[in-house]
Amino acid sequence: MEPLTLANPVVRGDMEEIYNSHIEWRQLHDSKIYIEGASGMIASYLVCFFVYLNEVHHYDIQIFAAVRSTEKAALRFGKYIDKEYFHLLRKDAIDPVSLKRTDIDYIIHAASLASPQYYNRMPVETALPNVVGTYELLRFGQKQVALKKFVFFSSGSVYGTVSSPKSIKEHDIGCVDFLDNGNCYGESKRCGEMLCHAYMSEYGVPATSIRIHHTYGPSMDIESDQRAFAEFVKNILKGENVVLKSNGMAKRAFCYLSDTLTAIITVMMQGVPGESYNIGNPNEYYTIQSVAETIVALRPKKMLKVIREERRDQGYRVSPEEDSKFVPVDITKIRGLGWEPHITIRDGFERVVSYFEKIYAADLRT
């Protein structure tokens, strides 16, 4: 893992793209933002954006970054953790918050094991941050005298299997077999959303939930992330054929990270407490095979191809056949707040591959 740095042209370009979006940024001046799970894929890019606001636009945001591993955080954030505005907190997601402050403006709960590789092997560790961790952060939110928003990172997994809709809206409710360990993630996210709504209703905590769908970007840990699209990028970098571990017909709507971050911040600043919002890009709805072929086509000189190979490693969860009928997410609700995704999978994965080519330039030459 390499530090996210504003000196990298892909990262800097993404940060400027977010800043030039529809959002009115002035209310973030002098804010205090607490982020649980700050070194994760999406949260770390969000932290990087707040760093960008401080370093480039002098917003004087105080960043409280709670992480389980300070070593990983040091690798992720590099020199920025030594800045006066950056407060690194070592904490397990299910522990009570020990920070003795009551002046936090925004709380973001992003701590979770969000990869299917964990669901069958570690269902308890997958579920608890979404349930116990959410409870502890909501209690912390109660203590803040002027909390503007609590944002819970939920997931499209909460929908389960919905009966043949054309697209999934926030009010749709599907079936989930909660005794299947593979569903521990989605079911615990449901519980987290319920707690957010309950604390809003009973105690007035301004909590909102965001249902994040398939997101990719430069902050992926391609060395350990076993999701298909992360492995495809790794294949390209190593000059290997892209390997499909399934029939490749499962379809997903892929949202690039800068679009996802713009959506998250939109909800953070404009979302209605007690509500949930879908975040995804229904315009980029493709089969896994199509994504693989798109990534291979980014570097034609390598003359790579897409091949199939059945996956058998322990803990890997094969997508059920119904997933081939997975429908795109409906984003009408968040569009009402002014958000719209823009990045195509070709443009997005070009950015990802370019980012890692620069990061691993020395290794790629050997």
Side-chain angles (χ1 to χ4, degrees):
M1 180 183 295
E2 295 292 324
L4 291 170
T5 171
L6 297 176
N8 184 287
V10 174
V11 175
R12 182 61 173 253
D14 283 349
M15 299 300 112
E16 291 176 351
E17 187 172 68
I18 296 166
Y19 187 73
N20 291 323
S21 68
H22 69 284
I23 297 172
E24 173 55 63
W25 299 106
R26 285 180 296 177
Q27 63 179 288
L28 287 183
H29 272 290
D30 302 313
S31 291
K32 298 173 181 65
I33 304 176
Y34 180 99
I35 306 174
E36 186 85 35
S39 59
M41 175 196 155
I42 297 175
S44 63
Y45 225 52
L46 187 59
V47 170
C48 189
F49 180 70
F50 296 142
V51 167
Y52 164 83
L53 290 179
N54 284 344
E55 294 290 314
V56 178
H57 298 286
H58 311 293
Y59 269 54
D60 297 322
I61 297 170
Q62 296 297 308
I63 303 168
F64 298 87
V67 298
R68 185 170 55 182
S69 168
T70 53
E71 292 79 9
K72 179 181 177 181
L75 290 173
R76 177 61 89 185
F77 301 116
K79 65 181 182 180
Y80 300 122
I81 64 172
D82 296 322
K83 298 287 185 176
E84 290 187 5
Y85 58 75
F86 201 109
H87 311 278
L88 190 62
L89 311 172
R90 187 179 184 279
K91 176 185 175 297
D92 192 284
I94 65 173
D95 292 337
V97 180
S98 60
L99 184 66
K100 303 300 182 183
R101 300 191 70 119
T102 59
D103 59 348
I104 300 297
D105 295 296
Y106 300 95
I107 296 173
I108 300 169
H109 181 13
S112 189
L113 292 176
S115 177
Q117 64 180 300
Y118 300 115
Y119 301 166
N120 279 312
R121 292 191 294 112
M122 303 170 64
V124 174
E125 290 81 359
T126 298
L128 288 181
N130 300 324
V131 182
V132 178
T134 304
Y135 165 71
E136 293 294 350
L137 280 176
L138 287 165
R139 291 181 64 214
F140 178 60
Q142 277 184 275
K143 300 174 184 177
Q144 307 311 308
V145 296
L147 184 67
K148 295 176 181 176
K149 196 63 63 62
F150 180 109
V151 180
F152 173 57
F153 279 28
S154 186
S155 166
S157 299
V158 300
Y159 291 111
T161 302
V162 181
S163 299
S164 302
K166 292 182 179 179
S167 62
I168 297 178
K169 299 182 179 180
E170 286 83 355
H171 63 261
D172 288 320
I173 300 173
C175 297
V176 174
D177 181 0
F178 51 83
L179 295 182
D180 180 347
N181 282 345
N183 293 322
C184 62
Y185 181 73
E187 191 69 12
S188 59
K189 287 293 188 186
R190 282 184 170 188
C191 187
E193 286 199 35
M194 178 275 295
L195 286 170
C196 288
H197 192 275
Y199 267 77
M200 185 280 299
S201 299
E202 186 170 349
Y203 300 115
V205 177
T208 58
S209 298
I210 50 175
R211 296 172 182 169
I212 301 172
H213 294 252
H214 283 69
T215 297
Y216 64 99
S219 56
M220 294 189 300
D221 181 3
I222 60 171
E223 295 302 322
S224 59
D225 192 334
Q226 295 185 23
R227 286 175 292 184
F229 48 86
E231 293 198 348
F232 298 164
V233 172
K234 185 162 55 177
N235 291 146
I236 293 296
L237 293 172
K238 293 183 176 180
E240 302 170 345
N241 290 325
V242 167
V243 180
L244 288 177
K245 306 296 177 66
S246 66
N247 63 15
M249 291 298 103
K251 298 186 78 172
R252 298 289 185 269
F254 290 89
C255 193
Y256 182 68
L257 194 50
S258 65
D259 277 338
T260 297
L261 258 60
T262 305
I264 292 169
I265 299 169
T266 296
V267 173
M268 186 178 92
M269 298 172 71
Q270 299 175 235
V272 178
E275 296 291 322
S276 298
Y277 295 86
N278 284 330
I279 295 177
N281 189 347
N283 303 322
E284 298 299 301
Y285 179 53
Y286 296 101
T287 65
I288 298 298
Q289 180 168 330
S290 294
V291 172
E293 292 169 348
T294 297
I295 294 174
V296 165
L298 295 175
R299 296 296 180 267
K301 291 182 179 180
K302 293 191 175 186
M303 300 180 67
L304 304 176
K305 58 184 179 180
V306 178
I307 62 175
R308 288 192 177 90
E309 179 181 296
E310 186 177 355
R311 186 168 179 171
R312 298 181 180 276
D313 49 302
Q314 185 178 6
Y316 178 72
R317 179 175 174 81
V318 177
S319 296
E321 189 61 28
E322 291 78 19
D323 275 2
S324 63
K325 303 173 185 176
F326 197 93
V327 296
V329 60
D330 186 290
I331 57 171
T332 301
K333 189 173 182 179
I334 192 171
R335 275 177 170 149
L337 302 180
W339 178 74
E340 185 72 34
H342 300 286
I343 309 302
T344 65
I345 61 167
R346 182 174 181 82
D347 183 10
F349 278 108
E350 173 60 43
R351 298 186 194 188
V352 172
V353 173
S354 296
Y355 171 82
F356 283 110
E357 283 177 336
K358 187 172 182 63
I359 291 296
Y360 296 117
D363 293 336
L364 293 173
R365 285 194 294 267
T366 59

